[in-house]
């Protein structure tokens, strides 16, 4: 419970800071475009944007399991799979890829 709370707080704070910075700097363009633009300029910004993405994927996975929503579970696994490759978790990346392929059939 404590770990999940830490992930929720981290995601909420990062999103809040991101939204505030977007509104302060350049509210004319969409948040997604601004994220891409800032990520290409600043490696630190890109890192924190990636952390937010990972946190949201993790929280989505937890919600899917706790609510028993199989469609959300499949989507959360699909969203988390690239991160297993990035972090070089060979077993997860290999077997989750196969696991996803079995759902397509």
């Amino acid at each position: 419970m404590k770990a999940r709370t830490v992930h929720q707080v981290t995601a909420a704070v990062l999103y809040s800071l991101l939204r505030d910075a977007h509104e302060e700097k350049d509210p004319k363009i969409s948040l997604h475009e601004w994220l891409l633009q800032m990520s290409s300029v600043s490696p630190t910004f890109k890192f924190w944007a990636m952390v937010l993405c990972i946190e949201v994927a993790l929280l989505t996975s937890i919600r899917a399991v706790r609510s028993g929503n199989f469609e959300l579970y499949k989507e959360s696994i699909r969203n988390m799979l690239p991160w297993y490759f990035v972090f070089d978790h060979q077993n997860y990346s290999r077997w989750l890829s196969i696991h996803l392929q079995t759902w397509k059939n």
Side-chain angles (χ1 to χ4, degrees):
M1 183 71 174
K2 290 179 183 178
R4 188 177 70 216
T5 303
V6 169
H7 286 294
Q8 289 171 336
V9 169
T10 302
V13 168
L14 284 174
Y15 181 74
S16 177
L17 290 171
L18 181 78
R19 190 188 62 228
D20 291 347
H22 171 252
E23 290 173 1
E24 180 182 312
K25 299 287 183 184
D26 199 359
K28 296 173 188 163
I29 63 174
S30 72
L31 181 62
H32 182 70
E33 291 174 9
W34 184 75
L35 267 172
L36 293 175
Q37 179 184 13
M38 291 300 295
S39 292
S40 66
V41 173
S42 170
T44 305
F45 188 91
K46 184 175 184 175
F47 170 78
W48 287 111
M50 288 171 45
V51 168
L52 178 60
C53 184
I54 294 168
E55 291 288 348
V56 169
L58 175 71
L59 292 170
T60 304
S61 176
I62 292 169
R63 180 176 180 198
V65 170
R66 292 181 64 91
S67 66
N69 186 341
F70 187 65
E71 292 301 317
L72 184 61
Y73 175 71
K74 289 193 299 187
E75 185 65 30
S76 69
I77 294 296
R78 199 173 296 116
N79 289 337
M80 289 174 56
L81 187 58
W83 295 109
Y84 291 120
F85 283 98
V86 167
F87 294 124
D88 199 28
H89 293 289
Q90 295 177 357
N91 288 333
Y92 287 111
S93 58
R94 181 181 306 131
W95 290 109
L96 280 177
S97 299
I98 294 169
H99 195 52
L100 279 176
Q101 286 298 321
T102 59
W103 290 335
K104 289 185 178 181
N105 297 333

